[in-house]
Amino acid sequence: MADIDQTQIVTLARDIDLVAGDRLHCLEYSLSADSEERHVIGPLGLKIGRTSPADIVIADSEVSRGHCMVTIVGEDVVVADLGSTNGTYVDGTRVTAPTVLPVGSVLQVGNRSIKHEWRTSSEIKQSDDFNRELKMAASYVRALLPEPVTDQSIRARWTYLPSAKLGGDAFGYGHLRDELFVCYLVDVAGHGAGAAMHAVAIMNQLRQHALPNTDMADPAAVLRRLNELFQMDEHAGLYFTIWYGVYDGATRRLEYASGGHHASYLVSRDRSEAMPLRTRNTLIGAMPGIQYKSDSLIVPNGHRLFIFSDGVYEIIDKDGKQWGIADFVALLQNGPEDHADETNRLYREVCARARPDTLDDDFSLVMLTFD
């Protein structure tokens, strides 16, 4: 985080007469389709770099620690490169001397495109109010996620990082009744508030075991009922995929069904085997009257089940290769035999291989260990 004396904070900048009239010079860039970052250029200017004390920190290996400086000179915004390794660009032209950044122009720093805009104080306030509402909603979504389980015969850990302030993923697990343990992951198409609220509505039905006239221990029946309740033409065009499983601790049988979702993987203790668990059913909400099928297997002692969204493996790596699920499964099998923080290890492994800013979807990964 930048030093307080140097950081340009929007709430403070509103009280400063930065430009004539009510307009403020801003640097803006998108974090997702529904989320953006905005920095007002104040009298001290804005320093951009990879680490603090830069005012705008961009975690990108292509960005130097102190990359460039943006200041107001008279009525112009001027960019100066600070001797960066990979250069600073204005509308595609490398900056070799202090260069004017016109309103509407794009500043390229590493893999980040930053636009210069003029904004009124009222526009900034409206945006801040919206972002505060999104932040409150995001806190609500996260509060619904289950706590890790570390002291039972089924242990559960997870890593969840939405690509936007609100993501479209949701997951849960817990005891259904007696020896039955249920686990599921939902992936709503899209991002932002609409997708997140749809995911919350689905998750509340599953968390409360509240699907009407449905045996929650029957994965195929659960998917059929969800498909009836959440038809996309009745829910603003939103649809989702799901993986849903029920484990019987008495028999060690896991019954599961997936609706449009890729396989979850059951990995042996020594990582020599990674078995895909998937049933070929259509996604939820696309068409009424669909019949869903389930499958089952016996879970050996010590095996681990990995349930995840496609954001876990849909990346472009540093060699420009588009990853598929097989690339992620290789990470499942190539790790240490018993890693105490496995889901976070996998997140770090994916991030280390991805190009900067290419984790464009939610990263949701749940691991269940069956003792």
Side-chain angles (χ1 to χ4, degrees):
M1 183 179 294
D3 292 340
I4 293 175
D5 291 340
Q6 296 181 352
T7 303
Q8 306 304 308
I9 302 175
V10 171
T11 52
L12 296 180
R14 294 196 196 103
D15 299 327
I16 303 173
D17 186 14
L18 300 176
V19 293
D22 189 42
R23 292 186 296 181
L24 309 175
H25 288 287
C26 299
L27 295 181
E28 302 177 351
Y29 52 89
S30 296
L31 298 174
S32 72
D34 299 279
S35 177
E36 68 178 16
E37 189 82 17
R38 175 182 296 108
H39 297 262
V40 174
I41 308 171
L44 299 178
L46 292 172
K47 184 178 181 180
I48 302 175
R50 191 173 71 249
T51 61
S52 298
D55 301 296
I56 301 177
V57 176
I58 301 174
D60 180 345
S61 60
E62 300 294 314
V63 176
S64 299
R65 291 174 62 86
H67 197 97
C68 64
M69 189 74 188
V70 180
T71 55
I72 296 176
V73 180
E75 297 183 354
D76 294 323
V77 170
V78 174
V79 180
D81 188 80
L82 299 177
S84 67
T85 301
N86 296 301
T88 303
Y89 296 80
V90 172
D91 292 333
T93 301
R94 186 161 185 164
V95 171
T96 57
T99 301
V100 172
L101 180 67
V103 174
S105 290
V106 175
L107 173 66
Q108 189 76 31
V109 179
N111 291 286
R112 178 74 72 187
S113 296
I114 305 171
K115 195 171 184 180
H116 172 206
E117 295 283 11
W118 269 0
R119 299 294 183 192
T120 65
S121 296
S122 61
E123 287 175 331
I124 292 175
K125 183 180 184 303
Q126 288 175 359
S127 178
D128 286 352
D129 290 343
F130 178 69
N131 285 337
R132 274 193 295 272
E133 291 176 1
L134 284 180
K135 186 175 181 180
M136 291 175 62
S139 297
Y140 173 67
V141 171
R142 195 170 187 90
L144 295 180
L145 299 179
E147 292 292 329
V149 178
T150 60
D151 58 352
Q152 300 180 21
S153 59
I154 302 176
R155 289 176 281 128
R157 300 185 67 91
W158 51 263
T159 294
Y160 168 71
L161 287 153
S163 60
K165 292 180 180 176
L166 283 175
D169 289 0
F171 55 85
Y173 49 75
H175 285 281
L176 187 59
R177 60 178 182 266
D178 300 327
E179 295 288 331
L180 298 184
F181 187 90
V182 64
C183 52
Y184 54 85
L185 187 145
V186 170
D187 187 353
V188 177
H191 304 284
M197 292 302 96
H198 198 54
V200 167
I202 299 160
M203 187 160 63
N204 279 334
Q205 293 276 351
L206 296 174
R207 289 175 66 246
Q208 298 168 16
H209 309 149
L211 290 177
N213 303 317
T214 304
D215 181 0
M216 300 300 291
D218 182 347
V222 169
L223 267 58
R224 286 195 298 271
R225 180 62 69 184
L226 287 173
N227 190 58
E228 293 172 6
L229 293 176
F230 291 97
Q231 282 293 301
M232 61 187 295
D233 58 358
E234 298 173 357
H235 291 84
L238 293 169
Y239 59 89
F240 62 94
T241 68
I242 183 173
W243 194 97
Y244 185 96
V246 178
Y247 175 74
D248 187 336
T251 63
R252 302 193 67 88
R253 179 170 294 278
L254 173 66
E255 186 172 1
Y256 60 91
S258 51
H261 205 77
H262 56 261
S264 296
Y265 280 81
L266 187 65
V267 179
S268 60
R269 185 191 295 272
D270 63 2
R271 300 185 187 263
S272 62
E273 296 180 77
M275 180 183 300
L277 305 184
R278 180 190 182 195
T279 56
R280 293 187 177 277
N281 296 312
T282 190
L283 55 82
I284 308 297
M287 185 182 303
I290 298 295
Q291 294 300 308
Y292 290 85
K293 297 179 180 180
S294 62
D295 204 347
S296 66
L297 82 165
I298 301 298
V299 179
N301 185 57
H303 278 44
R304 287 177 289 185
L305 177 64
F306 293 87
I307 312 166
F308 48 92
S309 63
D310 55 14
V312 166
Y313 63 85
E314 288 187 347
I315 66 168
I316 299 174
D317 68 17
K318 289 183 170 59
D319 295 325
K321 175 188 173 184
Q322 175 70 58
W323 269 32
I325 196 168
D327 298 290
F328 180 71
V329 174
L331 293 183
L332 294 180
Q333 294 191 261
N334 291 335
E337 184 170 320
D338 187 17
H339 197 280
D341 196 16
E342 179 69 356
T343 59
N344 283 330
R345 177 192 76 84
L346 289 164
Y347 174 70
R348 291 191 295 268
E349 293 269 13
V350 170
C351 290
R353 287 162 172 76
R355 281 183 177 175
D357 303 323
T358 58
L359 291 183
D360 294 326
D361 206 348
D362 303 336
F363 188 104
S364 298
L365 172 62
V366 179
M367 181 187 74
L368 303 179
T369 303
F370 301 88
D371 291 332

